[in-house]
Amino acid sequence: MIKKYTSGKPIETEAVVKEYKAKPIEELPLKNHTEGEHFIIEMELQKEDIVYGLGEAPRGINKRGWVYESFCSDDPFHTETKSSLYGAHNFIIIASEKPYGIFIDFPSKIRWDIGYSKESEVQITITNQNFDIYVIEGSTPAEIVKEFRGAIGESYIPPYWAFGYQQSRWSYPDKNAVDKVIEGYKEAEIPLECVYLDIDYMDSYKDFTVDEAKFPDFKEYVAEKKAEGIHLIPIIDAGVKKAEGYEIYEEGKEKGYFCKKSDGSEFEGGVWPGICGFPDFMRKEVREWFGSKYKLLTEAGIDGFWNDMNEPAIFYSTEGLEKALEKAVSLKGENLDLSKFFGLKDTFLGLSNSPEDYASIYHTINGEQVCHNLVHNIYGANMTKSAGEYFEKEYGKEKILMFSRASYIGAHRTSGIWFGDNHSWWSHILLNLKMLPSANMCGFLYCGADLGGFNENASRDLVLRFLALGVFTPLMRNHSALGTREQECYNFENTKDFKDIIEVRYRLIPYLYETFKKASKNNEMMFRPLSFDYPHDKIARECETQLMLGEECMICPVYEQNVNGRTVYLPEDMTYVKLSGKEITTKKMKKGINYIEVALNEVPLFIKSDKQIPIYAPAMRTTQIDTTTKEMIG
């Protein structure tokens, strides 16, 4: 059961697709009060209560003990100290004796103090009093998720081939670099489905352009790669380069499609191309316009995209940069003491994603000027929805791959997400694992992290262990940053270990795809905490290093360096399955704590004692998977 309560005049986010009769906020059955413009909700927590949710957020599956913020943030350092990442997913479940869920449909900042200030209290601070709040009742957390997911609509389903293995890097700047990647995988006999084109494929970093010197005869090249079974996936950024003769910028400026400042002039901020205009995605006509521009690449044969920098990320505004440079000039020749030096340093560090800049941006909503701060969390979501809605209209469902960095609930109907610029840290294997059920709760089923880690240098064993988890995530993409070690699988010694891991993925793709589609159609989670299935098992309730997958399986990645296996908790008797290339070994194991050995080229999996899953022969491409012949394991 879902009840809706409305305060003031909320901005429409289109997160909820079902109609609910709104009750006045005065009838909200949760303790609340106001402090100035803020609306504050307080809820008691019992000692054993678990708090789930918040989608893409730092820390654990159980969100108790920290303060989180709903504020889409371009932050590449995903440490425990952070309060927000790229998505704003305002849904939590209080798993108490009588569990309930809360969704706050509000596109601005929310502060979630979940047992941090007071161990026995959740305090939610909504930063103005125009919002909708939905209270969801159910007998179990799983029932609450199902109710909520039914309210927000079915999750996006990508093309079948999007479950294949994908290789990315910032950057493969030209066709020779792309061909080298494809040839490297071919020589190592490692399956590959997609190669990504980061910002360097563009002409001067201009959206919807291709540098013809780097990719001559681009349409023919895309067709050539498709004939080899390889999909090329280009990036699209939110900022549109300000440049004379650049048709998209000039058209957007002429039609007044870019965000404004309070005086009506165009807001200008610097990103990869330099000064950019930022499309006002709050306006339907702007979304339709921007979405239609993807046709410039789909007509060349492109059938997948990743949207980036859409929080929006802003390196600097023209005004902010001018002030910083003036300050630097004013200090020239001075003997900079502690305060002056760090003041100057902080001035330049503060240029990126500045609160002052965000506050200076204005959108047009229903003919009125609205400050960006009030709609910040739906900016990137509306960018991606503009593309997703265009693709569905032009090509139909399940034809185009689309996923985004920034997101808000509702965008899950037209795209997936990836978890942003993580690091080549062992702890980020677990962070990836812990985000999966939370993202699923909020509708984002097609998701995954940069396998091997995006930032810094990855070790061989880290990449293998990361990939062994990525075998199960719908998005299985290896991605790394400029200046870091090249972490394509063929660049390490003994490539057979990588071949063994990725072949397991292809053997499981039909099962994973059907499990994914079922979760979408039935408004369920593909990945669940163990506590969802074993609510009265104390060890299962506290377990955050294992997940349930579908109705049949439990996954348990190895996440530590220099170990030959790990301890795993079985909440019931299960079959331990080790998968490696064409090899399958099984062992019946009893409920309880067990140690399992897992070699670097093996993928561990547990199957419930009364269940089986299908597995198929390895293949180099999804189109080559023989689904007529399968083996049942379990």
Side-chain angles (χ1 to χ4, degrees), residues 188-290:
E189 298 182 338
I190 299 174
L192 177 68
E193 205 79 23
C194 307
V195 178
Y196 279 71
L197 305 181
D198 211 315
I199 55 175
D200 295 307
Y201 82 92
M202 302 178 193
D203 175 10
S204 303
Y205 307 124
K206 293 182 289 190
D207 278 344
F208 310 112
T209 67
V210 176
D211 188 328
E212 288 293 335
K214 297 176 179 177
F215 290 94
D217 303 316
F218 185 66
K219 184 174 183 178
E220 289 77 5
Y221 182 66
V222 173
E224 175 190 314
K225 296 303 108 179
K226 274 195 176 178
E228 298 174 23
I230 299 294
H231 301 260
L232 301 181
I233 314 296
I235 194 170
I236 300 294
D237 287 343
V240 176
K241 180 179 176 69
K242 178 181 180 180
E244 288 187 13
Y246 175 31
E247 182 180 344
I248 293 173
Y249 175 78
E250 291 189 340
E251 182 182 1
K253 184 174 181 63
E254 179 187 350
K255 294 184 176 180
Y257 282 169
F258 296 123
C259 293
K260 304 292 192 296
K261 295 188 291 187
S262 59
D263 62 5
S265 63
E266 192 174 295
F267 173 81
E268 295 182 341
V271 201
W272 304 114
I275 299 299
C276 292
F278 292 83
D280 186 357
F281 294 115
M282 301 304 114
R283 297 162 57 187
K284 185 174 186 294
E285 67 271 25
V286 177
R287 293 196 298 273
E288 290 176 346
W289 168 75
F290 193 84

Side-chain angles (χ1 to χ4, degrees), residues 472-485:
F472 301 106
T473 62
L475 171 61
M476 187 186 188
R477 182 177 77 148
N478 179 335
H479 185 41
S480 56
L482 184 72
T484 64
R485 180 180 190 175

Side-chain angles (χ1 to χ4, degrees), residues 53-111:
L54 296 184
E56 182 191 28
R59 297 202 166 220
I61 295 172
N62 185 349
K63 293 298 186 287
R64 288 189 73 156
W66 194 239
V67 177
Y68 307 86
E69 280 190 342
S70 293
F71 190 78
C72 296
S73 301
D74 170 25
D75 188 337
F77 294 97
H78 306 170
T79 61
E80 291 185 16
T81 58
K82 296 303 166 65
S83 58
S84 59
L85 295 176
Y86 307 94
H89 306 139
N90 305 334
F91 173 64
I92 63 170
I93 297 172
I94 310 293
S96 57
E97 186 176 345
K98 292 184 178 180
Y100 61 98
I102 294 171
F103 171 53
I104 302 174
D105 195 2
F106 177 70
S108 189
K109 185 179 291 186
I110 302 176
R111 184 179 189 269

Side-chain angles (χ1 to χ4, degrees), residues 287-398:
R287 293 196 298 273
E288 290 176 346
W289 168 75
F290 193 84
S292 70
K293 298 307 177 185
Y294 287 81
K295 189 174 185 178
L296 297 169
L297 290 167
T298 58
E299 284 187 335
I302 294 296
D303 52 7
F305 299 89
W306 52 311
N307 280 356
D308 198 6
M309 307 296 285
N310 53 350
E311 291 74 30
I314 301 171
F315 295 165
Y316 61 87
S317 67
T318 51
E319 291 87 349
L321 181 60
E322 185 177 348
K323 288 178 183 178
L325 293 173
E326 287 175 355
K327 183 169 184 177
V329 169
S330 72
L331 294 173
K332 185 177 181 180
E334 285 200 28
N335 182 2
L336 301 185
D337 61 13
L338 177 70
S339 61
K340 287 183 179 179
F341 171 74
F342 282 99
L344 179 63
K345 181 180 178 181
D346 290 344
T347 295
F348 281 90
L349 288 176
L351 283 174
S352 296
N353 308 317
S354 159
E356 184 179 344
D357 287 342
Y358 284 144
S360 73
I361 301 171
Y362 280 80
H363 303 271
T364 302
I365 300 177
N366 299 324
E368 296 183 5
Q369 292 299 99
V370 175
C371 179
H372 175 82
N373 282 343
L374 299 177
V375 294
H376 174 81
N377 288 337
I378 57 174
Y379 184 82
N382 277 347
M383 174 193 176
T384 300
K385 284 163 64 177
S386 75
E389 289 167 356
Y390 170 74
F391 295 149
E392 186 172 333
K393 176 183 174 183
E394 190 79 5
Y395 304 105
K397 291 185 176 181
E398 300 178 36

